[in-house]
């Protein structure tokens, strides 16, 4: 994490009134100039925990806990200083993007090239979905009830059957072969022959929270439901599965507004619910739910509803997720 400058930290404090923030966790009662509650940091019967709106601090006369709004969130949520800053910045709509990672110039250019390559792939796959070779994929999506608006919103596409659709297009655009391999979109045989990882699949692009395309989930079209239905991009310099939630770049505002997030298992579940008006929704992406995922969600909503399959595997996953 890059260093967040002092003036931004001040701005975050100023934009998060301590009474608002504390009362989103515990209920406060006004007495005189200050607000009072039973202390959340020690056991007590009478209220000795006070919050001062004029000084923007809290103090407990019982256990001595005290500090500003950032200290409160850190202590209450048991999170680190940078995590508390991010949470409060999100709450106030302050962007910390430029401080989030301190990338070297070289890393920056690799990330932006990877985004560009994924953009190229998305455009290619979307075009293919609308072409004659995408017919079976289109029919499948229609059968599952998805309309054009949903498919366009999430930029769903189709990876053609050929071994080199993306490879050829990327080389023509002068993308470096090493970059193609590190993106995971192109793989290499033992004999060093390069080919597209995703072929004859419905393609679900995965975006980071800022809306940069970072990976794909590809669903098989044909045949046996026995094998794995999905193939996902591998971990790459821009695709960290434990920190990416599918759909979040589109749903974050609705999640914040409703203070509630619906968590579903798959891309398809998400699209169907989205289309039916449930836009405060996310899905895991190529991995099980992680504590990092839970932390990200907590920044946006205090309530999470798990909508997993009714089958045994789904219920087990739901129990596991609920425990995080
Ligand atoms: Zn106390």
């Amino acid at each position: 994490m890059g260093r967040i400058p002092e003036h931004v930290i001040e701005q975050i404090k100023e934009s998060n009134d301590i009474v608002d923030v504390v009362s989103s966790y515990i209920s406060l009662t006004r007495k005189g100039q200050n607000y009072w509650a039973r202390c959340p940091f020690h056991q007590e019967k009478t209220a000795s925990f006070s919050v001062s709106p004029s000084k923007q601090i809290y103090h407990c006369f019982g256990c001595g806990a005290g500090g500003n709004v950032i200290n409160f969130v850190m202590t209450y949520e048991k999170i680190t200083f940078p995590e508390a800053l991010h949470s409060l910045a999100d709450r106030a709509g302050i962007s910390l993007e430029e401080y989030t990672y301190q990338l070297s110039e070289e890393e920056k250019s690799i990330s932006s090239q990877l985004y560009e390559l994924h953009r190229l792939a998305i455009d290619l796959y979307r075009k293919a979905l609308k072409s004659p070779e995408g017919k079976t994929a289109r029919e499948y999506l229609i059968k599952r009830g998805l309309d054009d608006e949903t498919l366009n919103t999430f930029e769903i596409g189709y990876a053609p059957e050929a071994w080199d659709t993306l490879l050829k297009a990327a080389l023509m655009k002068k993308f470096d072969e090493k970059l193609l391999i590190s993106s995971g979109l192109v793989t290499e045989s033992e004999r060093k022959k390069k080919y597209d990882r995703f072929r004859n699949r419905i393609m679900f692009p995965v975006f980071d929270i800022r809306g940069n395309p970072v990976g794909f989930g590809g669903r098989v079209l044909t045949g046996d439901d026995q094998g794995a239905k999905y193939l996902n991009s591998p971990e790459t310099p821009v695709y960290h599965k434990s920190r990416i939630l599918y759909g979040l770049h589109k749903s974050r505002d609705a999640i914040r507004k409703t203070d509630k997030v619906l968590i579903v298992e798959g891309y398809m579940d998400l699209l169907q619910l989205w289309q039916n008006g449930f836009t405060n929704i996310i899905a895991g992406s190529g991995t099980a739910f992680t504590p990092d995922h839970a932390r990200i969600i907590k920044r946006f909503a205090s309530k999470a509803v798990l909508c997993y399959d009714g089958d045994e595997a789904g219920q087990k996953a739901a129990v596991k997720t609920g425990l995080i």
Side-chain angles (χ1 to χ4, degrees):
M1 159 125 28
R3 231 185 117 67
I4 296 169
E6 208 52 47
H7 74 272
V8 178
I9 297 175
E10 280 311 308
Q11 191 198 351
I12 292 170
K13 277 196 251 172
E14 280 161 20
S15 325
N16 283 284
D17 181 74
I18 193 164
V19 176
D20 282 351
V21 172
V22 173
S23 57
S24 70
Y25 295 99
I26 58 177
S27 69
L28 295 172
T29 312
R30 179 153 202 168
K31 249 186 266 160
Q33 296 201 340
N34 293 337
Y35 290 79
W36 296 84
R38 283 205 303 254
C39 179
F41 306 122
H42 84 279
Q43 289 284 337
E44 62 173 357
K45 292 215 170 75
T46 53
S48 49
F49 178 87
S50 72
V51 179
S52 159
S54 59
K55 294 185 196 143
Q56 288 291 305
I57 55 166
Y58 68 97
H59 177 72
C60 173
F61 293 90
C63 69
N68 61 30
V69 67
I70 300 170
N71 306 125
F72 181 83
V73 172
M74 282 171 68
T75 316
Y76 193 91
E77 299 250 19
K78 300 186 176 60
I79 56 179
T80 64
F81 182 72
E83 285 171 331
L85 277 184
H86 274 264
S87 164
L88 288 168
D90 270 333
R91 187 176 180 277
I94 297 167
S95 165
L96 295 182
E97 272 163 38
E98 55 182 306
Y99 317 109
T100 304
Y101 297 106
Q102 205 118 56
L103 297 177
S104 67
E105 279 310 306
E106 193 188 352
E107 281 171 324
K108 251 187 226 161
S109 98
I110 287 176
S111 313
S112 61
Q113 285 177 58
L114 284 170
Y115 301 147
E116 251 177 70
L117 176 63
H118 279 86
R119 178 40 66 192
L120 173 75
I122 289 172
D123 293 344
L124 203 69
Y125 296 151
R126 289 183 73 186
K127 228 159 98 191
L129 181 65
K130 289 171 185 152
S131 77
E133 59 184 338
K135 186 167 174 273
T136 316
R138 251 184 352 259
E139 283 169 356
Y140 174 83
L141 291 165
I142 292 168
K143 208 172 76 196
R144 297 292 298 265
L146 298 178
D147 63 24
D148 282 345
E149 197 189 322
T150 306
L151 298 180
N152 288 334
T153 301
F154 290 89
E155 308 200 62
I156 309 305
Y158 168 68
E161 206 156 4
W163 290 81
D164 58 358
T165 312
L166 176 62
L167 179 62
K168 267 203 289 204
L171 291 178
M172 245 169 59
K173 294 264 180 194
K174 304 271 181 270
F175 279 99
D176 184 56
E177 289 199 353
K178 264 204 266 173
L179 185 92
L180 299 184
I181 299 293
S182 76
S183 76
L185 301 181
V186 170
T187 47
E188 210 171 30
S189 71
E190 274 173 33
R191 291 189 197 153
K192 300 279 171 211
K193 191 158 168 43
K194 294 177 182 58
Y195 59 93
D196 289 4
R197 174 186 299 266
F198 296 102
R199 299 175 312 278
N200 195 23
R201 284 174 186 271
I202 294 173
M203 298 299 287
F204 300 83
V206 177
F207 299 85
D208 66 17
I209 193 165
R210 288 162 282 178
N212 297 310
V214 295
F216 283 97
R219 191 192 192 286
V220 287
L221 271 178
T222 46
D224 67 288
D225 269 3
Q226 304 302 319
K229 280 185 214 157
Y230 282 89
L231 177 68
N232 292 292
S233 289
E235 290 274 323
T236 73
V238 292
Y239 186 26
H240 307 287
K241 294 181 189 182
S242 66
R243 297 210 294 266
I244 299 271
L245 287 160
Y246 182 71
L248 187 58
H249 69 298
K250 291 283 180 201
S251 59
R252 55 184 290 180
D253 291 342
I255 293 172
R256 208 197 305 264
K257 228 193 254 158
T258 53
D259 192 29
K260 190 182 307 157
V261 57
L262 309 177
I263 305 173
V264 294
E265 262 182 300
Y267 306 135
M268 214 57 155
D269 305 327
L270 184 141
L271 298 184
Q272 285 166 337
L273 282 165
W274 175 280
Q275 194 172 292
N276 285 293
F278 299 95
T279 53
N280 53 332
I281 190 168
I282 50 132
S285 163
T287 176
F289 208 75
T290 69
D292 275 334
H293 287 146
R295 263 195 291 276
I296 293 167
I297 287 172
K298 251 169 77 181
R299 281 192 217 147
F300 295 95
S302 60
K303 290 182 283 292
V305 180
L306 295 172
C307 318
Y308 280 16
D309 278 356
D311 65 18
E312 202 193 340
Q315 282 178 4
K316 268 192 195 145
V319 169
K320 232 174 121 190
T321 306
L323 288 176
I324 284 173

